[in-house]
Amino acid sequence: MSVAHTSTVDTPAGPFTAIVASDGAVLASGWTGDIALLTPQIHPSLMPSEITHRNDLGDVTKAVVAYHEGDLTAIDPVEVRQRSGPFLQHAWDVLRTVRAGEPVTYSQYATMSGRPAAIRAAASACARNSVALFVPCHRVIRIGGNLGGFRWGLDVKRWLLAHER
C-alpha cells in the first residue's frame, strides 16, 4: 500500500495543489484546489492507494512558496516522478533545463528534445506533463510570442511568464 500526501497553497496565480509520494517526489501538481483534477494525471503504475491531506509538504511547500515569492530557482531541486514512453520522459527532463525568464518556442523545444520535426510531440509532452511548475511547461510558447495552451489556463501562464521576467 502506497500513501501519498496532498496540500494546497494560496499563490498570487491561484490555489496550487501538489500530490507527493511518501518519499517526497511530486506525482502531480497544478493551479487548482481540487485533487480530482490532478489524480487522473498520475500514471497508473505510480497511483498511490491512498492520498491524505497535510497542511505542509515540507520541501515541496517551501519551494512553491519561495518560487511565488520570487526565488525562481527554488523549484529546480524538487524531485518529480511521472511515467510515459522514452520520448516523453526525455522531453520532460529537457523542460527542466529551460530557465526562468527564457521561454522557448515549441519548435525550439522539439529541437532541444532531439527531434526537430516533432513539434506536435513536443507540444504533447507539455500537455501531458502531470507536474506543472516543477517541470515548467509554461515556459514553452508559440513562435511570435503567442502563449499557446496551458492546462491551468492562459491567465496563470501569463502570470508565470511575467513573474519570471
Side-chain angles (χ1 to χ4, degrees), residues 6-118:
T6 186
S7 184
T8 301
V9 175
D10 287 326
T11 76
F16 183 86
T17 301
I19 299 173
V20 177
S22 58
D23 67 357
V26 178
L27 302 175
S29 57
W31 285 268
T32 180
D34 184 357
I35 69 164
L37 295 176
L38 293 174
T39 53
Q41 305 308 316
I42 301 172
H43 191 275
S45 69
L46 300 174
M47 184 62 72
S49 53
E50 183 180 348
I51 301 173
T52 62
H53 178 269
R54 285 196 174 162
N55 289 332
D56 189 301
L57 298 172
D59 289 342
V60 172
T61 299
K62 286 178 191 157
V64 170
V65 170
Y67 169 87
H68 285 88
E69 289 179 347
D71 180 357
L72 304 178
T73 62
I75 59 173
D76 295 349
V78 173
E79 184 182 349
V80 299
R81 189 170 299 129
Q82 51 185 339
R83 226 173 245 145
S84 190
F87 176 74
L88 287 182
Q89 291 286 159
H90 173 69
W92 291 327
D93 289 342
V94 168
L95 261 179
R96 293 197 89 179
T97 70
V98 178
R99 292 196 301 246
E102 299 177 19
V104 297
T105 65
Y106 287 98
S107 54
Q108 288 171 316
Y109 175 45
T111 298
M112 292 167 65
S113 298
R115 292 177 57 190

